[in-house]
Amino acid sequence: MQTNFTLAQLADPQVAESEQILRRCVHCGFCTATCPTYVTLGNELDSPRGRIYLIKDMLENGRPADEEVVTHIDRCLSCLACVTTCPSGVDYMHLVDHARIHIENTYRRPLVDRLIRNLLAAVLPYPARFRAALGFARLGRPFAPLLKRVPVLKPLGAMLDLAPKSAAKVSDAANPGTRAPETEKRGRVAILSGCAQPVLDPGINEATLRLLARFGVEVVVPEGEGCCGALVHHMGREGQALDFARRNVDVWTREIDKGGLDAVIITASGCGTTIKDYGHMLRLDPAYADKAARISSLAKDITEYLSTLDLPRLEPKRLNVAYHSACSMQHGQKITMAPKNLLKAAGFTVRDPGEGHLCCGSAGTYNILQPEISDQLKARKVRNIEATKADVIATGNIGCITQIASGTAIPILHTVELLDWAYGGPKPEKIPAG
């Protein structure tokens, strides 16, 4: 793609990077076939190619974002299916990240939209606040149908629908400290506690700690660690996202200095994609560039790390598992086979749903901010999963678990919960007796 940026514009490193990304696009349109919003809406401007044109025009002309640009960029899930498909290697992830930052800095959203986004940014990344908010959500759930009748209030209705009927008990898994291995020590890792996941489903990290201890891995839950920054990063709130990233880089660097780390383990693939990008996010910060790159190199999804431990093969079980590959796993981190291979080695029969490349519609806060598109994608995903006739669904991202669980009666668990059970842990409560 030909570009016409001025030398003055290219002096901005963000613009210079985006210009190089734009130049790689050859208008082939392969991305349209795998873009969930284009497949759903059929609008060229809701495809990666269409959004690239909008971003190019906005940045080249140095103008503030307008309503048209915001509408179509907001509809992007950042699922990155287009990145997997693109034959030219267009780095759409960093291009749309730049566009969102530009929107946040130059566009004044309508009042209600601003208030909802501020609420999400102030609550979701903080576990204590999120837990308290869920209490209020239970009281407000009866009003969800009324809110969804008012267009500008639909996100609030969606938020209430997604809130669990009861909050999980506070778990010791997030308490700072070191968990000793049960056998001869084979490694030392840190684990991300996260923000939403320990409130919605603390059993995921509990299973991770048990499984790693059983196979000789010392796990540290560091003091001071917090949200990875993904939620606000995808809302264009660069300053807040980088503050989260710097804090975690400092925390994990301190643990490296104390006793070394073989990996930083992440059990939510959406967080994993962001932490693996810390090196890029902080590349312009001389105090953090090298440290952040080091942390990114250590970041491992739990299934990536488990694949290095050579877990024993187990006898087959009478349980069919539909594996849903989260977008942040397959497109963001390019992890496609490790989770399925681990499940198969543990004795499960793994089934691949149709259209596995398409997003379930969760995408961070997308199922709140874009509920109508999200619901269509969820329905399509659930149809494909249910067609496998599986007994249980496995995936690697808490957002997908919450989204898909709201549309099907098939129990859905994190992959590591099934692996923990297979290798001696307790049977997950979601799996029916028998």
Side-chain angles (χ1 to χ4, degrees):
M1 178 179 288
Q2 184 177 353
T3 59
N4 294 289
F5 289 91
T6 67
L7 291 176
Q9 288 175 311
L10 294 175
D12 180 334
Q14 296 268 41
V15 173
E17 180 188 46
S18 290
E19 191 259 357
Q20 290 301 308
I21 296 170
L22 290 166
R23 281 182 171 271
R24 294 189 72 94
C25 180
V26 296
H27 324 285
C28 67
F30 281 18
C31 57
T32 61
T34 58
C35 174
T37 49
Y38 181 76
V39 169
T40 302
L41 303 175
N43 185 338
E44 174 72 15
L45 294 180
D46 288 314
S47 73
R49 182 171 62 180
R51 293 185 182 109
I52 285 172
Y53 278 115
L54 291 173
I55 294 168
K56 174 181 180 291
D57 179 66
M58 176 176 67
L59 296 180
E60 259 187 355
N61 290 294
R63 60 179 177 79
D66 58 27
E67 185 178 357
E68 180 183 47
V69 170
V70 173
T71 295
H72 297 292
I73 297 299
D74 280 356
R75 287 178 184 167
C76 174
L77 294 126
S78 280
C79 69
L80 307 180
C82 57
V83 175
T84 297
T85 308
C86 181
S88 302
V90 175
D91 184 5
Y92 179 82
M93 180 175 83
H94 291 127
L95 181 65
V96 79
D97 284 347
H98 183 195
R100 289 193 165 115
I101 293 167
H102 187 78
I103 288 169
E104 183 69 15
N105 292 336
T106 65
Y107 182 74
R108 187 167 178 80
R109 294 179 179 274
L111 177 61
V112 175
D113 190 15
R114 290 204 309 275
L115 291 175
I116 291 172
R117 288 169 177 270
N118 287 340
L119 176 65
L120 294 172
V123 172
L124 291 183
Y126 306 95
R129 298 179 195 176
F130 185 32
R131 184 175 293 277
L134 289 182
F136 289 110
R138 288 194 294 276
L139 297 174
R141 185 176 288 107
F143 300 100
L146 294 174
L147 293 171
K148 289 190 288 187
R149 291 177 191 171
V150 182
V152 296
L153 298 180
K154 282 184 179 179
L156 293 176
M159 199 185 309
L160 293 173
D161 281 344
L162 286 166
K165 293 180 180 179
S166 60
K169 294 180 180 178
V170 177
S171 170
D172 290 337
N175 291 340
T178 299
R179 277 62 170 179
E182 295 176 6
T183 61
E184 182 181 353
K185 183 177 174 181
R186 299 172 65 183
R188 181 176 190 265
V189 302
I191 187 170
L192 173 73
S193 296
C195 49
Q197 182 172 282
V199 177
L200 294 171
D201 195 347
I204 293 171
N205 273 13
E206 290 171 353
T208 303
L209 294 175
R210 288 192 300 264
L211 185 60
L212 290 174
R214 209 173 294 129
F215 285 98
V217 181
E218 179 181 277
V219 185
V220 58
V221 180
E223 181 80 43
E225 170 213 89
C227 175
C228 70
L231 290 170
V232 290
H233 179 57
H234 294 305
M235 294 168 71
R237 298 181 177 226
E238 182 184 31
Q240 190 178 359
L242 295 184
D243 285 344
F244 282 136
R246 290 187 187 99
R247 180 180 64 185
N248 286 336
V249 166
D250 284 338
V251 166
W252 291 324
T253 299
R254 188 166 63 241
E255 290 301 329
I256 293 171
D257 294 340
K258 280 183 184 178
L261 289 176
D262 300 312
V264 174
I265 299 297
I266 301 120
T267 55
S269 62
C271 301
T273 301
T274 296
I275 294 168
K276 288 182 177 183
D277 200 42
Y278 276 2
H280 182 274
M281 291 168 63
L282 291 167
R283 71 196 185 284
L284 302 177
D285 185 335
Y288 279 87
D290 291 341
K291 291 192 294 183
R294 186 182 188 187
I295 295 302
S296 289
S297 70
L298 286 173
K300 296 284 184 292
D301 181 77
I302 180 59
T303 58
E304 273 186 293
Y305 186 73
L306 290 173
S307 296
T308 70
L309 299 183
D310 193 25
L311 304 187
R313 297 192 70 86
L314 303 178
E315 292 296 316
K317 297 174 177 57
R318 292 183 178 179
L319 199 70
N320 296 312
V321 179
Y323 176 69
H324 163 69
S325 187
C327 296
S328 46
M329 187 81 84
Q330 62 172 313
H331 303 308
Q333 299 183 57
K334 309 302 182 189
I335 301 170
T336 56
M337 297 307 299
K340 293 191 285 188
N341 289 341
L342 287 165
L343 288 168
K344 290 174 183 176
F348 299 103
T349 300
V350 178
R351 296 180 176 177
D352 289 312
E355 297 184 320
H357 62 283
L358 287 181
C359 184
C360 69
S362 173
T365 58
Y366 192 93
N367 51 4
I368 295 172
L369 297 173
Q370 300 286 336
E372 293 175 334
I373 302 172
S374 175
D375 283 348
Q376 291 180 65
L377 291 171
K378 176 175 68 177
R380 186 168 184 158
K381 179 62 66 177
V382 166
R383 283 197 302 272
N384 281 312
I385 289 174
E386 291 182 341
T388 68
K389 306 298 182 183
D391 303 305
V392 65
I393 307 163
T395 189
N397 192 52
I398 185 62
C400 301
I401 291 172
T402 304
Q403 174 82 344
I404 295 170
S406 68
T408 183
I410 302 174
I412 180 167
L413 298 101
H414 193 287
T415 305
V416 79
E417 294 179 283
L418 289 172
L419 295 175
D420 174 52
W421 173 39
Y423 289 103
K427 184 177 182 178
E429 293 180 3
K430 294 179 184 177
I431 295 181

